[in-house]
Amino acid sequence: MIQLNNVTLKFGKRTLFEDVNIKFINGNCYGLIGANGAGKSTFLKLLSGEIETTHGEISITKGERIAVLQQDHNKYNDERVIDTVIMGNSRLYQIMKEKEELYSHTEFTDEDGIRLGNLEAEFAEANGWEAESDAAELLGNLGVDVSFHYELMKDLPNNKKVKVLLAQALFGNPDILLLDEPTNDLDISAINWLEEFLINFNNTVIVVSHDRHFLNKVCTHIADIDYNKIKLYIGNYDFWYQSSELALKQMKESNKKKEDKIKELQLFIQRFSANASKSKQATSRKKMLEKIELDEIVPSSRKYPYIDFKIERPSGNEILTVKNISKTVDGKKILNNINFTVLRGDKIAFVGDNNIAKTLLFKIICGEEKPDSGEIIFGKTIKTSYYPQDNTDYFKSDKSILEWISSFYNIDDETVLRGFLGRMLFSKEDVFKKVSVLSGGERARCMLSKCMLDNPNFLILDEPTNHLDLESITSLNNGLTKFNGEMLFSSKDHEFTQTIANRIIEIKESGIIDRKTTYDDYLESKNS
């Protein structure tokens, strides 16, 4: 168990948390949520002991081991993969190395023997004899083939390093598990396995994630960071979201009734205060009026951008035909004879393990890449807008956000553009920030702004949820659900794909699998 007593954390004049009193209890999985900059990752560092509190104390049940998902993918570059996983239990790994060193002695002293005996007992108690097989099992479950297990970490691709570091955190049944964005860069099968692992994990889990489906699946509680406080809610993310919306609505309705009562009393006082026969009643109502207090509705620190894709004109009957598209890159065939036709109302999610293939296909459709063979045929009424996964080239300039967005459109009225950017959370002086220094989330909102101003009836979105916070993902999700045009998109966000897509295309080495279905039904058919 972790208990926080009057915990405050300050950086200079900025207060992240103040007088936080909260318990995290064994057997529960806590989803840690809050606006960007609220301090979610910092709070995990506070719990792990990486940073110290300004005031207050954090107490952890004696003897309980904390495991943390490491964020530095290059930290263990010179270590073998299997050893990196076992390092998740640092004491066990220390025992293993000390045993190895003692057994290497050419002259074996009595002290060495006594020390080895103690180490062997501790090693057995920590399930040391199963350590390597347990580590290999975790790696296998996450999709790291046995051929990588004895390679050095520096020789692994990044998507494999992520899985090794996750296996490290899960290794050895830690008492407290701190996970910061554990689903980032994981494939569907690895995410599904992790969900089941955490559902069946009997100890304490505190997890930060932008994946709403993941939070709904694994969390028993939500810990909400807002206004320098942390409040616990029982239930998953959807329950928290609906509960908080309902509470705000009830508070507003309660205030509306009080406002109506105040107006009624004020009118009575104005009408009868000069009337001698009614003066006592007027005085009585004046006292009632003074006692009425409106509940202070404090708006959440969360900010939701306004995302709404307006269509300049509806699509005609002919949308898009992709015919016999093939493409080879560096001697390897990435796309093999791809054929499909987009119909009216289609919102197609592209799935599959080969992310390069999805991105390459989108670039070919947009005209940024040329296929080796085949053709792309758009209907005459189609107006497209493309959201690339890598937007680096769009922001290589010294322009301000305002100058950047205006360079794409013939809109002379700065007030109109500033109002639009304000709805995308670029308010006041923010619009004068140089685009070259923007964060990933700010760039994503700029690109979405550009797409909206295109007024397209056909969208091509390559991983648009990357770099967005929960609030922006929710707004984009709602905006695309209402979008009346056609779209092709890819996203690792399960909830996003399930609520938007009405057709799924899986890209495989041999071609595609094309199904008119929801994402959940597609996954169920694959697993059956």
Side-chain angles (χ1 to χ4, degrees):
M1 181 183 77
I2 303 178
Q3 183 164 348
L4 284 74
N5 296 310
N6 298 317
V7 167
T8 296
L9 179 66
K10 295 183 179 181
F11 293 113
K13 294 182 179 180
R14 187 186 176 204
T15 299
L16 271 184
F17 315 111
E18 189 168 27
D19 296 328
V20 173
N21 293 279
I22 197 170
K23 288 181 183 178
F24 296 103
I25 300 169
N26 285 359
N28 292 332
C29 179
Y30 300 87
L32 187 63
I33 64 171
N36 272 4
K40 299 183 290 294
S41 296
T42 303
F43 185 69
L44 293 186
K45 290 178 181 178
L46 202 62
L47 298 181
S48 69
E50 187 176 336
I51 58 177
E52 295 183 353
T53 65
T54 306
H55 300 293
E57 62 177 18
I58 298 173
S59 57
I60 297 169
T61 303
K62 189 176 180 181
E64 290 196 342
R65 182 171 69 86
I66 294 180
V68 179
L69 175 59
Q70 299 291 335
Q71 300 298 308
D72 182 357
H73 295 173
N74 299 315
K75 184 175 181 179
Y76 303 94
N77 270 353
D78 295 324
E79 305 291 344
R80 296 188 310 171
V81 167
I82 201 79
D83 294 333
T84 302
V85 176
I86 297 173
M87 284 178 188
N89 186 337
S90 59
R91 178 55 191 155
L92 175 59
Y93 189 73
Q94 287 170 8
I95 293 169
M96 291 171 68
K97 298 308 285 183
E98 190 175 351
K99 278 177 53 185
E100 189 179 299
E101 195 272 331
L102 284 170
Y103 278 123
S104 70
H105 288 184
T106 53
E107 294 183 9
F108 205 71
T109 66
D110 290 342
E111 289 79 4
D112 289 342
I114 292 169
R115 180 59 181 157
L116 266 174
N118 292 334
L119 289 173
E120 289 290 7
E122 195 176 350
F123 181 72
E125 189 177 346
N127 293 323
W129 297 112
E130 289 80 38
E132 199 161 312
S133 61
D134 288 347
E137 184 178 359
L138 281 171
L139 289 168
N141 287 330
L142 286 167
V144 181
D145 189 77
V146 68
S147 61
F148 292 105
H149 292 190
Y150 295 92
E151 296 290 322
L152 293 180
M153 285 287 285
K154 65 184 178 184
D155 295 327
L156 265 62
N158 277 334
N159 64 335
K160 291 284 191 295
K161 286 183 182 179
V162 168
K163 293 181 176 183
V164 176
L165 293 177
L166 180 55
Q168 180 193 74
L170 305 180
F171 177 77
N173 194 37
D175 301 290
I176 298 164
L177 188 53
L178 306 180
L179 302 175
D180 194 352
E181 297 290 355
T183 61
N184 278 5
D185 298 316
L186 291 188
D187 50 68
I188 295 169
S189 58
I191 291 173
N192 289 342
W193 178 85
L194 179 60
E195 287 173 350
E196 292 304 315
F197 179 93
L198 294 178
I199 288 168
N200 294 304
F201 189 69
N202 293 322
N203 299 333
T204 305
V205 182
I206 303 172
V207 59
V208 174
S209 177
H210 289 150
D211 189 327
R212 295 163 296 166
H213 180 269
F214 180 77
L215 292 175
N216 282 330
K217 195 87 179 282
V218 305
C219 291
T220 60
H221 296 70
I222 293 295
D224 179 29
I225 303 177
D226 208 357
Y227 294 103
N228 311 123
K229 301 292 183 183
I230 302 178
K231 188 174 181 181
L232 276 186
Y233 295 82
I234 296 174
N236 61 16
Y237 178 79
D238 275 353
F239 185 82
W240 166 82
Y241 182 77
Q242 291 164 13
S243 297
S244 59
E245 289 290 301
L246 180 61
L248 184 63
K249 181 182 177 183
Q250 289 174 337
M251 197 178 293
K252 286 180 177 177
E253 288 176 350
S254 173
N255 277 356
K256 180 67 168 61
K257 289 177 182 178
K258 289 180 182 180
E259 286 171 351
D260 290 344
K261 186 66 176 175
I262 287 171
K263 288 178 182 177
E264 180 187 332
L265 294 173
Q266 286 173 334
L267 286 171
F268 186 91
I269 291 166
Q270 290 170 6
R271 185 177 178 187
F272 295 110
S273 58
N275 188 321
S277 64
K278 298 282 188 179
S279 61
K280 285 185 178 181
Q281 288 177 305
T283 302
S284 172
R285 279 164 172 72
K286 190 172 183 180
K287 288 179 180 179
M288 288 173 60
L289 180 63
E290 290 169 353
K291 289 179 181 179
I292 294 177
E293 294 182 4
L294 294 179
D295 294 325
E296 185 183 2
I297 300 180
V298 181
S300 170
S301 61
R302 290 175 177 79
K303 294 180 180 179
Y304 292 81
Y306 178 75
I307 298 178
D308 187 21
F309 293 90
K310 301 292 187 184
I311 292 176
E312 196 169 275
R313 63 171 178 170
S315 308
N317 292 326
E318 295 180 359
I319 312 293
L320 169 66
T321 301
V322 175
K323 294 178 68 175
N324 304 318
I325 294 295
S326 293
K327 180 74 173 180
T328 297
V329 179
D330 296 329
K332 184 177 181 181
K333 180 159 275 192
I334 305 298
L335 299 172
N336 184 18
N337 198 35
I338 306 296
N339 290 275
F340 63 89
T341 300
V342 178
L343 306 174
R344 285 287 294 271
D346 275 347
K347 293 181 177 180
I348 306 173
F350 283 76
V351 301
D353 295 334
N354 192 339
N355 293 321
I356 294 173
K358 287 178 280 186
T359 295
L360 184 57
L361 178 62
F362 287 171
K363 285 184 174 182
I364 289 171
I365 292 171
C366 293
E368 289 195 358
E369 291 275 354
K370 290 186 177 181
D372 296 334
S373 60
E375 59 181 328
I376 304 295
I377 305 169
F378 276 105
K380 291 181 180 179
T381 60
I382 301 305
K383 186 178 183 182
T384 65
S385 187
Y386 173 47
Y387 182 103
Q389 184 172 168
D390 182 3
N391 56 36
T392 307
D393 289 342
Y394 285 84
F395 297 96
K396 291 179 178 177
S397 80
D398 289 327
K399 291 180 180 178
S400 68
I401 295 174
L402 188 61
E403 291 170 333
W404 183 88
I405 197 71
S406 63
S407 69
F408 294 102
Y409 305 100
N410 295 319
I411 300 176
D412 296 327
D413 192 340
E414 184 179 303
T415 306
V416 172
L417 284 173
R418 291 192 69 163
F420 179 81
L421 289 171
R423 292 196 296 273
M424 290 300 290
L425 310 185
F426 296 111
S427 57
K428 299 180 181 177
E429 299 305 307
D430 287 345
V431 300
F432 299 114
K433 285 177 71 172
K434 301 294 185 184
V435 294
S436 58
V437 300
L438 296 182
S439 68
E442 289 170 327
R443 287 185 177 189
R445 283 187 276 118
C446 279
M447 291 303 298
L448 288 172
S449 299
K450 178 183 177 302
C451 288
M452 280 188 280
L453 288 171
D454 283 335
N455 296 124
N457 53 24
F458 190 93
L459 286 169
I460 302 169
L461 310 174
D462 192 2
E463 298 292 344
T465 54
N466 286 359
H467 306 296
L468 294 181
D469 57 21
L470 272 169
E471 293 70 43
S472 297
I473 291 172
T474 300
S475 296
L476 178 59
N477 200 154
N478 293 339
L480 292 176
T481 302
K482 293 186 295 182
F483 177 60
N484 289 323
E486 289 71 42
M487 61 186 293
L488 314 178
F489 74 97
S490 65
S491 174
K492 295 183 181 71
D493 188 301
H494 185 119
E495 183 84 3
F496 186 85
T497 306
Q498 166 60 18
T499 53
I500 295 172
N502 55 22
R503 182 175 165 190
I504 307 293
I505 292 181
E506 179 181 1
I507 301 180
K508 301 174 74 69
E509 287 187 9
S510 56
I512 64 169
I513 297 174
D514 188 350
R515 293 177 181 169
K516 189 79 173 176
T517 184
T518 65
Y519 186 53
D520 279 347
D521 286 345
Y522 156 78
L523 290 177
E524 188 176 336
S525 68
K526 277 182 69 73
N527 295 328
S528 60

